[in-house]
Amino acid sequence: MANSPGIDQAKEKIILDAAQKRFGHFGLAKTTMTEIAADVGMSKASLYYYYPDKEHLFLAVIEQEMDEFIKALTAMIGEEEPASKKLKQYTSIRHEYFRRLISLAKLGEHTLSAMKASMDVFKQNLEKQEKELIRRIFQEGIKNGEFESFNAKAYADLFVATMQGLRVSVIHKKTLSETKEEDYQLAEQYQKQITAIFLKSISK
Amino acid sequence: MANSPGIDQAKEKIILDAAQKRFGHFGLAKTTMTEIAADVGMSKASLYYYYPDKEHLFLAVIEQEMDEFIKALTAMIGEEEPASKKLKQYTSIRHEYFRRLISLAKLGEHTLSAMKASMDVFKQNLEKQEKELIRRIFQEGIKNGEFESFNAKAYADLFVATMQGLRVSVIHKKTLSETKEEDYQLAEQYQKQITAIFLKSISK
DNA sequence: TTTTGACTTTTAGAACAAAATAGTCAAATC
DNA sequence: GATTTGACTATTTTGTTCTAAAAGTCAAAA
């Protein structure tokens, strides 16, 4: 009753997991509904009983990832740790999530971008949540005297946008040649350094 | 004798300017050699006397822009000003150059990226020069006691990459809808803020 | 309520032709 | 000799049709 009236939650999860495996392996374009159906051991038509179309199924997979990501973040933030440590942990977790999303769409990002409005809304929503979480970390740091006083909201927006830029650059650079492992690592290194600089500039 | 043996420099400049106007207006893809030739008042074949192909002509236009950009930067850096002020000025000049390049390729960036090796080499070269110039600003600031001591090279690499990321984000975000003026302005604002944070973190 | 086989519709790609544009060159002009 | 060009060829882009594969639907069955 949580979803559509009386839809079997367990069955839905099974489909979701199968889809996740396929998408993670071959990306959105190279995965067919028939394949997913076969994996689950049901007919393609049944998939459409649970999900209106392929896009929604894909979105559901991504949303599941996002939920885990947000959950991990929220839990981490809830702990009794210095705000500075939390910010650093955010950087790691966020980069990891980025890599997972990339492999889902495969070569993706192009595919991701190509996907219409629904994806945009999804992204904006995530960005908003992230900015809010980072703002809280800043706020907390200010309150407990770890940081000096500053505009937490503005800094959070800037911080998230900056990290996003460093990640996007990775994808953007390579023309046809696929992105290399070292590119991801360089991006991660930059993200860590930026985090350190942010911290240095606001720490008491 | 500076270029090919005995090529008319003035004529070349005329072609270059015409090409720049066309490219700036319609972008690379929507500009034909015939049009440029007509603008200049000569036959298309003559264009090929001066430039081996369309790509080289386009590259020459971009290189002219780059030369102006680098020249402006170098002059600015040569002045007797605090390193911090120079870094801020770099941010403005760089963003302006970015916008000019975008309009040259039009909707471009996609077009820019699509253009093969030569463009990649060009970009890498520019990036290298930029990083070197920024490194010098940092170095100078350290030497004259304006900044505390730090690894100028590493910071320059990070700084340039970060600014690049913020610019690239602008292009990347919009799926089909063209990039809006406010997007550019937000990116510029972020770049300025990041510059300020860098300065704050290294200033004595 | 859930599942499915049989169905229709849509999309992606191959193959082809036509048109537009890039690029070449021998001869003419300066 | 340097420069220019008309008339050419080569390549790329665009539009078309065709086809196979995949998406998506639905009435009937379980």
Side-chain angles (χ1 to χ4, degrees):
Chain A
M1 203 175 279
N3 230 325
S4 304
I7 285 277
D8 188 338
Q9 294 279 312
K11 197 56 82 64
E12 230 181 328
K13 186 75 168 74
I14 289 170
I15 295 171
L16 218 53
D17 288 345
Q20 177 164 31
K21 243 174 231 163
R22 281 276 170 190
F23 288 141
H25 239 333
F26 305 108
L28 174 63
K30 290 292 187 186
T31 298
T32 72
M33 293 297 266
T34 310
E35 284 166 347
I36 296 173
D39 289 349
V40 179
M42 47 172 36
S43 85
K44 186 181 55 162
S46 297
L47 254 46
Y48 285 92
Y49 178 73
Y50 292 98
Y51 296 93
D53 52 38
K54 191 183 179 184
E55 191 173 315
H56 276 79
L57 175 52
F58 183 72
L59 238 45
V61 170
I62 287 203
E63 239 174 298
Q64 188 182 243
E65 297 274 8
M66 180 179 104
D67 282 349
E68 282 168 25
F69 168 62
I70 293 284
K71 219 175 69 187
L73 268 194
T74 310
M76 186 271 285
I77 286 177
E79 283 175 22
E80 198 62 63
E81 298 279 4
S84 62
K85 187 176 176 186
K86 288 179 185 175
L87 198 68
K88 283 179 194 160
Q89 283 189 290
Y90 161 80
T91 303
S92 296
I93 297 177
R94 185 54 176 91
H95 185 76
E96 196 192 324
Y97 175 60
F98 167 66
R99 300 217 45 176
R100 209 153 350 123
L101 280 196
I102 287 295
S103 83
L104 272 181
K106 214 70 171 190
L107 285 178
E109 203 21 54
H110 173 258
T111 324
L112 270 178
S113 290
M115 231 166 86
K116 30 219 150 274
S118 48
M119 189 53 101
D120 267 8
V121 171
F122 170 81
K123 278 186 171 180
Q124 276 175 241
N125 177 35
L126 175 60
E127 188 179 312
K128 213 171 172 180
Q129 286 192 61
E130 264 185 275
K131 284 178 173 171
E132 172 57 17
L133 284 173
I134 299 299
R135 192 194 61 76
R136 268 192 238 160
I137 295 181
F138 284 154
Q139 202 61 264
E140 179 190 318
I142 295 170
K143 191 169 273 177
N144 71 23
E146 199 179 334
F147 301 149
E148 61 183 46
S149 181
F150 57 89
N151 183 337
K153 166 105 170 54
Y155 262 60
D157 289 355
L158 175 62
F159 183 74
V160 170
T162 304
M163 304 296 265
Q164 208 169 68
L166 286 170
R167 289 189 304 266
V168 165
S169 284
V170 174
I171 305 159
H172 195 264
K173 278 224 174 149
K174 301 297 150 173
T175 307
L176 198 112
S177 56
E178 351 70 73
T179 311
K180 282 284 165 220
E181 182 56 30
E182 61 184 77
D183 295 321
Y184 287 113
Q185 280 172 12
L186 184 60
E188 190 177 9
Q189 185 193 314
Y190 282 152
Q191 287 177 74
K192 285 181 178 170
Q193 290 177 342
I194 283 290
T195 306
I197 286 180
F198 260 80
L199 283 175
K200 194 171 175 209
S201 87
I202 60 180
S203 290
K204 269 189 177 163
Chain B
M1 203 176 278
N3 231 326
S4 305
I7 285 277
D8 188 337
Q9 294 279 313
K11 196 59 79 67
E12 231 180 327
K13 187 76 168 71
I14 288 170
I15 295 172
L16 217 54
D17 287 345
Q20 179 163 31
K21 241 174 234 165
R22 281 277 171 189
F23 288 140
H25 238 334
F26 305 107
L28 173 63
K30 290 293 187 187
T31 298
T32 72
M33 292 297 267
T34 310
E35 284 167 347
I36 297 172
D39 289 350
V40 179
M42 48 172 35
S43 85
K44 185 179 56 159
S46 297
L47 253 47
Y48 285 93
Y49 178 73
Y50 291 98
Y51 295 94
D53 52 37
K54 190 183 178 183
E55 190 173 315
H56 276 79
L57 175 53
F58 183 71
L59 239 43
V61 170
I62 288 204
E63 240 173 298
Q64 188 181 244
E65 296 275 10
M66 180 178 103
D67 283 349
E68 282 168 26
F69 168 61
I70 293 285
K71 219 175 69 188
L73 268 194
T74 311
M76 186 271 284
I77 285 178
E79 282 174 24
E80 199 63 60
E81 297 280 4
S84 62
K85 188 176 175 187
K86 289 180 184 176
L87 197 69
K88 283 179 196 162
Q89 283 189 290
Y90 161 80
T91 303
S92 296
I93 297 177
R94 186 55 177 90
H95 185 74
E96 195 192 327
Y97 174 61
F98 167 66
R99 298 217 46 176
R100 211 152 350 123
L101 280 195
I102 287 295
S103 83
L104 272 182
K106 214 68 173 190
L107 286 179
E109 205 21 53
H110 173 258
T111 325
L112 270 179
S113 289
M115 232 166 84
K116 29 219 152 274
S118 48
M119 190 50 103
D120 267 8
V121 171
F122 170 82
K123 277 186 172 181
Q124 276 175 242
N125 177 35
L126 175 60
E127 189 179 312
K128 214 170 171 181
Q129 285 193 62
E130 266 185 274
K131 284 179 175 172
E132 172 57 17
L133 284 173
I134 299 300
R135 192 193 61 77
R136 268 191 239 160
I137 295 180
F138 283 154
Q139 202 63 263
E140 179 190 318
I142 295 171
K143 190 169 272 175
N144 72 21
E146 199 178 332
F147 301 150
E148 60 182 47
S149 180
F150 58 88
N151 184 336
K153 166 104 170 51
Y155 262 60
D157 289 355
L158 174 63
F159 182 74
V160 170
T162 303
M163 303 296 264
Q164 209 169 68
L166 287 170
R167 288 190 304 265
V168 166
S169 284
V170 174
I171 306 158
H172 195 264
K173 279 227 175 146
K174 303 295 150 176
T175 306
L176 199 112
S177 54
E178 353 69 75
T179 311
K180 282 283 166 222
E181 181 57 29
E182 61 183 77
D183 296 320
Y184 286 112
Q185 280 172 10
L186 184 60
E188 189 176 11
Q189 185 193 314
Y190 282 153
Q191 287 177 75
K192 285 182 178 170
Q193 290 177 343
I194 283 290
T195 306
I197 286 181
F198 259 82
L199 283 174
K200 193 170 175 210
S201 86
I202 60 179
S203 291
K204 270 188 175 163

